[in-house]
Amino acid sequence: MNLTSLSLTGLKNLLQKKEVKAQEVVQAYLERIEEMEPQINSFITVLGDRSLEEAGRIDRKKSPGNLAGIPLAIKDNMVIQGLRSTCGSKILENYKGSYTASAVEKLMKQDAAIIGKTNLDEFAMGSSTENSAFYITRNPWDRKRVPGGSSGGSAAAVASGEAPAALGSDTGGSIRQPAAFCGLVGFKPTYGRVSRYGLIAFASSLDQIGPITKTVEDSAFLTQLIAGRDPQDSTSSSHPVPQYPEEMKKDLKSMRVGYLKQEMLEGIDPEVKEIYSHSLGYLEDLGAELQELSFPVWKYGLFCYYIIAPCEASSNLARYDGVRYGFRHNKAPDLSQMYENTRTEGFGSEVKRRILLGTFALSAGYYEAYYVKAAKTRDLIRKEFEDAFQKVDFIVTPTTPDLPFLIGAKKDPISMYLSDWFTAPVSLAGIPALSLPVGFSQKKLPVGLQIIGNFFQESNLFKLAFRLEKKVKLSGPNLHRKEEE
Ligand code: GLN
């Protein structure tokens, strides 16, 4: 049996029936990592011996937890005590966590065997994983292409069978977009659903942790394990956490689905557009009541995001001064030169661009014109979603405007930023969204559908995604192959 092709739930069933030992599972994944890493580069750190030892301990346990022996990959912007947490940056290259992120700790408490830390765009800023200070991760579907980003390492690890599931983080699309590019399910929960404690901050009013998995069921399962109030994060919600995997299989009472007006799809890849309209057909077959909606404020979302996120980043990243964390330039004649040299050498160019952008937008004289305006626009975006959710239960959009693109194809930062067109407004509103694989392009590149729900409607989102996933699988996820037949 090929253990590395199974879903998390598939593996869990085998482990619980004791048909396989945790150590065998971890060993199989480590071998797969050894085989795939030279071509894919998903990981920054692989925890070989440590995860095998962990698996041995789990095998000896009398009543192991819900994730007993399941290897999981964690994006390298979540800290784990005693382990390197680089955030994809030279400035944190040798930084070791002094505590463990709450979401990761919850998985460890359920006896997951953490198998490694995955590559990302430096400080999670990017959409391709090309901004990592270490190396580029490749898309397992086509190695000349990017896996998306910033959680590209997590997505590539799952898509290449190096891990059955992974955690990513999403500020403006960083779970959903790489999941779409790698043919996986990526879920960004409602802001506050999952604790951010131990997630290295990028833009604190937007950052959320979520799972990247092969199936909707795995996504529901992991979300349930990581969700909930955490006293260490004052923005985490005490809204009760339903049993998502069980809820997911129950009846979906109302299925009013809003889709985007044609004019909002102008300029996107024609194949993405075609697959999007095809998936509307699948939804109709499932009995959804479709409604065309217009979102006049949507087009300001991306610009608003690229003010707010850099503003928050410029303040969050002020702490990397060479004194408290990681890298320090140690040949400077005085303190302020040391700060300057440390930051000049430690940060990559995209991170510097964001810090400059954010500092500029927050500076006296410009604050009103940029930050305050963006904050007001954010309210309008939220309001636009609120109004839409008076009419529908879900909104569907393409996850990304493009197919997975070639490495090096988006050198111009603006063209890279456009990758977040459909995902950033959702992050600004703070509502949950899931990317589901719904088809393949002619070149066999995966395409995702973004399903957006209202605040804390994750159960309903999983319900719809679960039904649609079945439908897509029955119809054969390869749209073009299906049409040829
Ligand atoms: N691509 C977006 C950015 O570069 C989103 C990143 C993210 O969600 N972490 O900011």
Side-chain angles (χ1 to χ4, degrees):
M1 183 187 347
N2 187 357
L3 294 172
T4 59
S5 66
L6 295 174
S7 67
L8 185 156
T9 307
L11 262 183
K12 182 161 71 85
N13 292 341
L14 281 184
L15 280 156
Q16 279 175 354
K17 282 194 243 141
K18 301 219 180 309
E19 285 179 26
V20 56
K21 282 191 163 147
Q23 252 180 336
E24 289 169 58
V25 172
V26 170
Q27 185 62 41
Y29 278 90
L30 289 174
E31 282 166 19
R32 180 74 180 166
I33 290 174
E34 209 164 305
E35 178 194 342
M36 299 306 287
E37 272 305 271
Q39 303 146 56
I40 306 290
N41 272 331
S42 314
F43 288 92
I44 292 179
T45 306
V46 176
L47 301 167
D49 291 343
R50 183 185 151 128
S51 57
L52 273 175
E53 269 167 36
E54 186 61 18
R57 188 189 61 77
I58 295 163
D59 279 329
R60 290 188 296 274
K61 254 189 154 175
K62 280 211 180 66
S63 47
N66 264 319
L67 283 170
I70 299 202
L72 292 178
I74 308 291
K75 186 176 181 180
D76 208 21
N77 61 351
M78 288 170 232
V79 299
I80 300 183
Q81 188 168 28
L83 294 183
R84 217 155 68 99
S85 295
T86 68
C87 216
S89 181
K90 190 177 168 202
I91 217 157
L92 287 178
E93 191 168 3
N94 297 312
Y95 169 69
K96 281 194 176 156
S98 52
Y99 62 102
T100 299
S102 297
V104 180
E105 193 158 79
K106 285 187 173 187
L107 300 178
M108 287 171 152
K109 280 215 174 99
Q110 295 297 333
D111 290 322
I114 307 300
I115 201 159
K117 307 278 308 282
T118 56
N119 197 18
L120 66 154
D121 286 302
E122 184 176 5
F123 282 97
M125 298 173 188
S127 304
S128 67
T129 318
E130 291 164 296
N131 294 340
S132 163
F134 305 111
Y135 32 70
I136 293 170
T137 297
R138 289 166 189 275
N139 190 321
W141 292 88
D142 178 348
R143 291 169 197 163
K144 296 187 296 304
R145 292 174 191 271
V146 304
S150 62
S151 311
S154 286
V158 179
S160 60
E162 295 175 318
L167 287 189
S169 71
D170 190 313
T171 305
S174 279
I175 290 175
R176 291 161 282 165
Q177 187 254 16
F181 275 15
C182 291
L184 300 166
V185 177
F187 181 55
K188 181 201 89 75
T190 306
Y191 180 78
R193 180 68 302 182
V194 178
S195 167
R196 290 181 294 112
Y197 182 65
L199 169 67
I200 298 176
F202 164 9
S204 311
S205 76
L206 296 155
D207 299 340
Q208 261 301 278
I209 293 174
I212 296 180
T213 56
K214 292 178 183 170
T215 68
V216 175
E217 183 165 23
D218 290 356
S219 186
F221 180 67
L222 280 181
T223 304
Q224 191 197 320
L225 294 181
I226 60 177
R229 169 80 187 153
D230 175 11
Q232 306 277 21
D233 171 6
S234 63
T235 63
S236 67
S237 168
S238 41
H239 214 272
V241 182
Q243 303 283 317
Y244 299 128
E246 281 96 79
E247 286 297 315
M248 181 187 80
K249 293 180 182 158
K250 291 188 187 156
D251 258 12
L252 185 52
K253 296 203 177 66
S254 176
M255 227 198 283
R256 295 170 305 164
V257 179
Y259 65 94
L260 302 182
K261 240 189 165 139
Q262 201 57 23
E263 65 192 35
M264 288 180 71
L265 303 171
E266 269 166 30
I268 76 170
D269 185 282
E271 286 192 277
V272 172
K273 201 162 155 181
E274 190 192 335
I275 293 169
Y276 175 60
S277 53
H278 219 91
S279 41
L280 296 180
Y282 290 148
L283 283 165
E284 221 159 25
D285 293 348
L286 285 175
E289 207 181 290
L290 295 185
Q291 232 182 90
E292 189 182 72
L293 295 177
S294 65
F295 292 89
V297 193
W298 194 295
K299 56 178 175 293
Y300 303 109
L302 188 79
F303 310 107
C304 173
Y305 170 85
Y306 276 95
I307 298 285
I308 290 181
C311 284
E312 294 187 19
S314 80
S315 130
N316 273 326
L317 271 57
R319 73 191 72 176
Y320 304 106
D321 55 5
V323 177
R324 286 169 288 180
Y325 303 91
F327 172 75
R328 173 189 300 177
H329 174 100
N330 53 18
K331 289 192 199 81
D334 57 42
L335 188 63
S336 63
Q337 197 61 47
M338 186 282 285
Y339 290 152
E340 194 177 319
N341 294 358
T342 296
R343 290 169 70 83
T344 304
E345 290 165 30
F347 289 133
S349 58
E350 182 58 30
V351 173
K352 284 179 192 154
R353 182 177 296 117
R354 305 278 180 116
I355 293 174
L356 286 171
L357 251 168
T359 310
F360 177 77
L362 287 174
S363 58
Y366 294 102
Y367 176 77
E368 294 284 332
Y370 293 106
Y371 184 76
V372 173
K373 219 170 201 172
K376 285 183 182 161
T377 311
R378 183 179 191 171
D379 281 344
L380 295 177
I381 290 169
R382 214 176 270 147
K383 175 88 179 38
E384 186 166 87
F385 278 114
E386 256 171 46
D387 292 346
F389 284 121
Q390 299 287 322
K391 300 182 204 134
V392 295
D393 309 294
F394 308 97
I395 298 160
V396 294
T397 78
T399 307
T400 61
D402 282 322
L403 292 170
F405 46 88
L406 290 169
I407 292 169
K410 291 192 194 279
K411 292 237 183 303
D412 162 34
I414 308 282
S415 70
M416 187 70 86
Y417 297 171
L418 284 169
S419 307
D420 309 318
W421 188 262
F422 294 114
T423 47
V426 177
S427 300
L428 290 166
I431 48 184
L434 181 144
S435 179
L436 183 76
V438 284
F440 284 91
S441 74
Q442 230 133 16
K443 285 191 174 155
K444 298 262 183 310
L445 299 170
V447 173
L449 178 76
Q450 173 174 237
I451 312 174
I452 309 166
N454 208 346
F455 287 102
F456 296 103
Q457 292 294 306
E458 3 289 282
S459 282
N460 282 337
L461 262 184
F462 288 130
K463 279 184 191 177
L464 181 64
F466 184 60
R467 282 160 179 75
L468 186 56
E469 177 187 49
K470 258 200 222 149
K471 177 86 200 153
V472 173
K473 281 199 176 135
L474 285 178
S475 317
N478 188 332
L479 173 65
H480 292 280
R481 194 179 57 216
K482 185 175 160 261
E483 279 172 355
E484 275 159 28
E485 278 164 8

